[in-house]
Amino acid sequence: MLQIFQLYVFILAGFVGFVVIQRVPPLLHTPLMSATNAISGISLVGAIVAAGGQYGQVSTILGFIAVVCAATNVVAGFLITDRMLAMFKPQKAANAKEHAEMKGAAK
Amino acid sequence: MLQIFQLYVFILAGFVGFVVIQRVPPLLHTPLMSATNAISGISLVGAIVAAGGQYGQVSTILGFIAVVCAATNVVAGFLITDRMLAMFKPQKAANAKEHAEMKGAAK
Amino acid sequence: MSELGPLSSRDLIIQATYLLASIFFILGLRSLTRPTQARLGMQQAAMGMLFAVIGTLLNAHIVTYQWIIIGLAVGAIIGYPMAMKVPMTAMPQFIAFSHAFGAIAATLVGVVEYRHAFTIDMSGTMTGMSSGIAAAVGFEVLFGALTVTGSFMAFGKLQELIRGQPITFPGQNAFNITLIAVAFLSLGVLIYDPGATWAFYTVLALGFFLGISMVLPIGGGDMPVVISLLNSYAGLAASATGFAIGNNVLIIAGALEGAGGFILSLIMSKAMNRSFANIVFGAFGSAPAASTKEGGPVKEPKTITAEDAATQLAYAGSVVIIPGYGMAVAQAQHTCRELHELIEKKGGKVSYAIHPVAGRMPGHLNVILSEAGIDYGALLTDVDDANRVLLTADVVVIVGANDIVNPDAEDDKSSPLYGMPIFRPWTAKVSFVIKRGKGTGFSGVENPLFTKDNTLMIYGDGKSVIGNLVKEIKALDEGH
Amino acid sequence: MSELGPLSSRDLIIQATYLLASIFFILGLRSLTRPTQARLGMQQAAMGMLFAVIGTLLNAHIVTYQWIIIGLAVGAIIGYPMAMKVPMTAMPQFIAFSHAFGAIAATLVGVVEYRHAFTIDMSGTMTGMSSGIAAAVGFEVLFGALTVTGSFMAFGKLQELIRGQPITFPGQNAFNITLIAVAFLSLGVLIYDPGATWAFYTVLALGFFLGISMVLPIGGGDMPVVISLLNSYAGLAASATGFAIGNNVLIIAGALEGAGGFILSLIMSKAMNRSFANIVFGAFGSAPAASTKEGGPVKEPKTITAEDAATQLAYAGSVVIIPGYGMAVAQAQHTCRELHELIEKKGGKVSYAIHPVAGRMPGHLNVILSEAGIDYGALLTDVDDANRVLLTADVVVIVGANDIVNPDAEDDKSSPLYGMPIFRPWTAKVSFVIKRGKGTGFSGVENPLFTKDNTLMIYGDGKSVIGNLVKEIKALDEGH
Ligand SMILES: NC(=O)c1ccc[n+]([C@@H]2O[C@H](COP(=O)([O-])OP(=O)(O)OC[C@H]3O[C@@H](n4cnc5c(N)ncnc54)[C@H](OP(=O)(O)O)[C@@H]3O)[C@@H](O)[C@H]2O)c1
Ligand SMILES: NC(=O)c1ccc[n+]([C@@H]2O[C@H](COP(=O)([O-])OP(=O)(O)OC[C@H]3O[C@@H](n4cnc5c(N)ncnc54)[C@H](OP(=O)(O)O)[C@@H]3O)[C@@H](O)[C@H]2O)c1
């Protein structure tokens, strides 16, 4: 029963991802790729449990390595995405849009 | 725990509805309203259980009324939506689009 | 009503069916957003419903199928002629009516659930109910009952069985807020003590009462927003049922519907220029009062005869028709199509400017015109696009539209319409306005468009005036 | 690792935190689709991650925080300089590298899970694992391991540590398919008998092996598609982890990522005109071979000196710059911006035509140009739009682009590029092509554009040629 609910969650979330990402403009494809890469660091959640749990020494060591790797992925992934997005300058774009709208609104 | 999963399902489905319906063109607003009305007949599912279950006579009667009402909603809702959508003639619209594309593709 | 635990193979089939149903609902909704796939989408949603029903019929709790089958048959017998006979102009009240039925079912299911949990069964025990389930059932009957009476009220107003005007009394808002507070308090008690039968029935009764007292003070023209919002509430009721009986299809379908209804009311409120709060709180309050602008001497609108109008239409290169609520009232769409074809035969180009809130429900006029077989490629549904086309139009024909072409929406800050995006027929060479008399539109305000220099009125019922235009254009030909 | 049953208040807080995290992920992804909100979206996603970590730290199974904190610190210390130092041109390999790290974590978690379930614990018992959980853990290590080695291979190819050319041997596809079959067979055994340790480690080992053997035969230029697909696989691994440990955040984040990576590879494949199957099956096969078109005598491209080109640019009314992979290689974006500003100062209008697959990852050139401070209002990212602008352009400057302006994509059915949407610089008055020599583009085919009458070549490194143009235009001014 629990697994059926998980399946629902998985399918619904996949659908959300599908619908949302289909609309990403080409302008943002690279940042999006790097953002999803950062999100893949979510295995950090599992890694933390493995490193902190009472699963024996080997597990703690493996867990520790997992935490390091996942944290690297998360930190690097989000930072690079932020660096990239910070470079996108929207100033004139916004102006251009305003212009277009003004033209549309003119009698 | 089960209820938390249900909450996830609810939130995710609501988000799907939100994202998807935001994109409905004005052309389809009325059919959409009547289709969601038909979908609200989903209480039929609960009604069937009430009418067919061993919950005593009063429950069976109430359940029966519920089945009738929900079935009416479902049948009427889908039929009218279909009638409406059958009236939408896309012929020339498709042509117009092709024209636009041909123009775009011309050298 | 499956509980937790290992699954039998029957449960597995049920769950698979439900999953399929959910997927069909989602895909259907998605297809419904594209004109070319909308019909497919509706069929997918119907498939979803079918699977949901099949899955339920397999439920082990069901012992007798007799009443279910009779009930389904009766429902189909009632629903079929209803759907086939209703005219497209009556769509809003039809939806309200059909909607009330679904809400009745949701409410009754809630009552059965509750009664069942607190009735001593054959084995002499009472199953009772957890607080979580009680909360779900409470929400279910509150939103369900509210939707039942609210929908019937909306239906009554639209069908003019009840006075369309807002019915108000002093302190109404305070009264309603008190009712809501009491309803939620009772709901709280019910959650705290699921066995408190009185609390349950209080919630139920207040739900019914709230549906009436919240819709009464709202004007008939605002009903589509109300219906859409009630749609959203019905969705929440269905989701609550899903929480109560542990059924994901109900949760998902309800959530989709809840989100859909909510967004549609938002879209409507935006296009009608009403505030968001106005909508969220059940479209409290009434339609905007007529503006009391005092101007100089009122100019009289100029008129034109059908004959002269016909001549101009016959030689126009580009004609834009702006239909409004009056077109639906007059059922003028078929005659309008004749006019359209006549003009095209004479070499003119005809398009329609369809305002998002023209008529009495969103997209209403699209349906009305489609009914007459006008293909949707000719419909301009974007206000900005339409206004660009109007700039170069030779003749504009306004049929039973009023508020959506009121220049005060742009010019007069004190107008209740101010801020609503409108069409600008006065930018074209000439506009003909077809209406019965000096009646105002839904908002009840005067329209300065009618006294502009290049606006000419043709008074009369929409259908007969357009019929005359058609006749005159044909006569022109014969005269030659 | 919460099991079913009534919730403690600690569990409730954990669950609320997770729910919040999931909502932040979804909202973040949604915001990421809008240029003006993209940065906010990234921050929302980061918040989601933060909440997910906080929720996990509250987990009752955690007994020691020491290694967690050290691990997080070490990760941050490694990640920070990595992200800050990497040049924007190296984005694809950076993503591949960082990605491998996440996959290592997912794989290790799977191993820990499995080991834990089948190790005799202090109380002398073994918890074991249900088939459902075994399936989840099996998928997790299979996809995780595959992503680890696959990402490292992609990194190696892009960083040119490994030969970029497809490395193939006869029967390779059959070999890979056999490997996949064996992996899934072992997975089947594992599900049937979760205690079959050998099956688990076979799945793990084959995962590692498959990552190598599936990426080896793919050319270096195809790596972005591979990376995107590996992204999708990593998402599936994360979702599988979520199924295994009963954590919804993992399921949701994984599903979002899985869908995202999949759609991006689809978009890329479409823009590159590779078949869908090509992508779904791990971009099997190699880059398209060079076309062997035999024509008449090969025309020699005409050249133009930087001085003459500068004169034409200085007096052009409308200039379109088409950057390609070579612009990134030459790091010419900053010089390009100088040129751009010079032309605008002289009264010309400059825009950039950015092809969806220009460069080596989707949207790559947008990032490169943004790095130089060029605002995205000047970027034409739609091929059709750009082609309309090209129709009326005076001068087109093609910098290090090749395949995306190859007319064979439209004219020559035998070309491997045939069907790919391309820019049409030849419809403008004149085009200057800046490249180092006679090198072909990624696809390895000749480009007949270069021998067209109104195409003039300027050979040299992108950065230095543009630098010369800038110098010459400035000299023009001084000459006056
Ligand atoms: N679409 C929606 O979702 C929605 C929902 C709620 C409210 N509304 C509101 O409804 C209004 C819609 O604007 P609208 O321009 O379509 O309609 P309107 O402003 O209500 O005007 C309708 C006009 O049609 C004329 N008319 C009525 N019956 C006629 C007949 N048989 N033949 C010819 N003319 C006839 C009336 O004038 P005479 O009496 O002089 O003939 C009236 O001026 C807006 O104010 C909008 O906010 C819309
Ligand atoms: N964007 C993506 O997602 C993606 C992913 C995978 C594959 N691809 C493929 O990559 C290709 C992209 O097309 P493109 O036009 O951008 O690039 P391209 O076709 O690969 O051409 C690049 C050109 O730049 C020149 N060049 C290289 N270094 C240079 C330098 N330092 N200065 C000046 N010129 C230099 C090269 O010629 P010389 O050697 O003569 O200088 C070459 O002709 C497409 O075939 C696409 O399918 C794209």
Side-chain angles (χ1 to χ4, degrees), chain B residues 30 33, chain C residues 219-225 264 268-269 271-274 322-332 355-365 398-406 417 420 433-445 447 450 457-465:
Chain B
T30 296
M33 225 166 126
Chain C
D222 256 342
M223 282 308 122
V225 187
L264 277 180
M268 262 191 270
S269 77
M272 291 170 63
N273 198 34
R274 316 277 304 251
I322 304 182
Y325 179 57
M327 160 92 82
V329 174
Q331 289 273 47
H355 196 276
V357 295
R360 285 297 176 267
M361 68 189 298
H364 199 173
L365 265 306
I398 300 169
V399 189
N402 195 338
D403 296 343
I404 58 172
V405 289
N406 191 328
L417 294 174
M420 167 166 141
V433 175
I434 301 174
K435 65 201 295 279
R436 292 166 309 182
K438 307 251 154 127
T440 55
F442 163 68
S443 67
V445 303
N447 191 338
F450 302 154
M457 314 296 291
I458 315 178
Y459 292 114
D461 172 72
K463 188 169 178 176
S464 61
V465 170

Side-chain angles (χ1 to χ4, degrees), chain A residues 1-94 96, chain D residues 1 4 25-26 29-30 32-35 38-39 42 45-46 49 52-53 56-57 59 61-64 67-68 70-72 74-76 78-80 83-86 88 91 94-95 98-99 101-102 104-106 108-109 111-112 115-116 224 227-228 231 236 238-239 242-243 246-253 255-257 259-260 263-264 267 361-364 366-367 370-371 373 375-377 379:
Chain A
M1 192 61 199
L2 183 67
Q3 266 147 27
I4 286 175
F5 273 102
Q6 293 180 331
L7 200 61
Y8 274 95
V9 170
F10 178 69
I11 290 177
L12 285 169
F15 198 84
V16 169
F18 198 79
V19 176
V20 169
I21 292 182
Q22 259 187 338
R23 286 195 286 172
V24 177
L27 178 70
L28 293 174
H29 279 166
T30 296
L32 183 78
M33 224 165 128
S34 96
T36 48
N37 163 48
I39 292 177
S40 88
I42 188 72
S43 5
L44 184 53
V45 164
I48 287 176
V49 176
Q54 258 180 320
Y55 302 143
Q57 207 178 345
V58 179
S59 292
T60 306
I61 294 174
L62 293 182
F64 172 71
I65 301 176
V67 171
V68 172
C69 290
T72 307
N73 184 350
V74 170
V75 172
F78 279 120
L79 280 180
I80 191 86
T81 311
D82 194 51
R83 239 184 89 195
M84 227 185 285
L85 288 172
M87 293 182 326
F88 281 74
K89 297 262 156 50
Q91 241 40 55
K92 279 197 210 154
Chain D
M1 306 200 175
L4 284 175
F25 277 129
I26 293 177
L29 205 64
R30 190 173 144 78
L32 262 170
T33 64
R34 299 183 185 145
R39 211 169 167 197
M42 201 239 43
M49 192 62 80
V53 170
T56 310
L57 289 176
N59 190 312
H61 291 260
I62 295 179
V63 290
T64 156
W67 293 112
I68 298 174
I70 298 179
L72 288 173
V74 173
I78 303 177
Y80 184 84
M84 286 313 179
K85 258 184 21 209
V86 63
M88 287 297 148
M91 202 44 62
F94 172 82
I95 291 181
S98 150
H99 208 238
F101 273 75
I104 293 178
L108 288 180
V109 171
V111 173
V112 171
R115 275 182 41 107
H116 173 58
I227 293 173
S228 212
N231 219 324
L236 294 182
S239 277
F243 275 92
N247 185 318
N248 277 334
V249 186
L250 275 165
I251 298 182
I252 292 175
L256 292 176
E257 199 197 340
I263 291 177
L264 277 181
I267 292 176
M361 68 190 300
H364 199 174
N366 295 311
V367 177
S370 295
E371 188 190 4
D375 67 71
Y376 60 69
L379 311 183

Side-chain angles (χ1 to χ4, degrees), chain C residues 86-410:
Chain C
V86 63
M88 287 296 149
T89 29
M91 203 44 62
Q93 49 267 52
F94 172 82
I95 291 181
F97 193 69
S98 150
H99 207 237
F101 274 75
I104 292 177
T107 314
L108 288 179
V109 170
V111 173
V112 171
E113 296 262 312
Y114 188 79
R115 276 184 39 114
H116 173 58
F118 292 102
T119 305
I120 292 156
D121 63 14
M122 285 160 295
S123 60
T125 56
M126 207 167 73
T127 47
M129 206 173 237
S130 75
S131 285
I133 305 283
V137 174
F139 266 111
E140 182 184 345
V141 293
L142 178 58
F143 280 110
L146 193 157
T147 306
V148 173
T149 49
S151 297
F152 275 127
M153 292 296 302
F155 171 75
K157 289 213 172 199
L158 287 165
Q159 197 68 1
E160 286 168 19
L161 303 175
I162 313 177
R163 204 150 58 93
Q165 268 65 48
I167 299 174
T168 51
F169 58 84
Q172 190 153 33
N173 277 354
F175 179 71
N176 277 339
I177 289 169
T178 313
L179 280 187
I180 293 172
V182 174
F184 275 96
L185 266 177
S186 311
L187 196 61
V189 172
L190 184 68
I191 295 170
Y192 180 76
D193 171 19
T197 318
W198 66 267
F200 178 77
Y201 288 106
T202 307
V203 169
L204 178 67
L206 283 177
F208 282 125
F209 201 84
L210 270 171
I212 299 174
S213 72
M214 276 167 71
V215 176
L216 260 188
I218 302 171
D222 256 342
M223 282 308 122
V225 187
V226 173
I227 293 173
S228 213
L229 206 65
L230 289 174
N231 218 325
S232 180
Y233 291 166
L236 294 182
S239 278
T241 315
F243 276 92
I245 67 176
N247 184 317
N248 278 334
V249 186
L250 274 166
I251 297 182
I252 291 174
L256 293 176
E257 200 197 338
F262 186 67
I263 290 176
L264 277 180
S265 20
L266 276 189
I267 292 175
M268 262 191 270
S269 77
K270 209 169 138 195
M272 291 170 63
N273 198 34
R274 316 277 304 251
S275 83
F276 180 73
N278 211 308
I279 302 299
V280 175
F281 300 109
F284 259 127
S286 53
S291 137
T292 54
K293 194 168 73 169
E294 283 163 36
V298 185
K299 269 212 297 193
E300 262 306 295
K302 288 179 286 184
T303 59
I304 183 171
T305 63
E307 201 185 329
D308 292 345
T311 317
Q312 294 200 35
L313 279 170
Y315 298 110
S318 146
V319 175
V320 177
I321 299 177
I322 304 182
Y325 179 57
M327 160 92 82
V329 174
Q331 289 273 47
Q333 62 271 33
H334 299 279
T335 330
C336 190
R337 188 196 171 178
E338 262 186 75
L339 180 66
H340 171 161
E341 283 168 352
L342 258 181
I343 297 173
E344 286 201 330
K345 225 167 61 195
K346 298 207 147 266
K349 206 185 153 316
V350 181
S351 46
Y352 294 82
I354 313 284
H355 196 276
V357 295
R360 285 297 176 267
M361 68 189 298
H364 199 173
L365 265 306
N366 295 310
V367 177
I368 300 287
L369 291 176
S370 296
E371 189 191 3
I374 292 161
D375 67 70
Y376 61 72
L379 311 183
L380 301 163
T381 54
D382 184 89
V383 176
D384 291 338
D385 284 353
N387 277 330
R388 260 187 289 280
V389 173
L390 282 171
L391 283 172
T392 57
D394 294 323
V395 180
V396 179
V397 184
I398 300 169
V399 189
N402 195 338
D403 296 343
I404 58 172
V405 289
N406 191 328
D408 277 350
E410 290 185 340

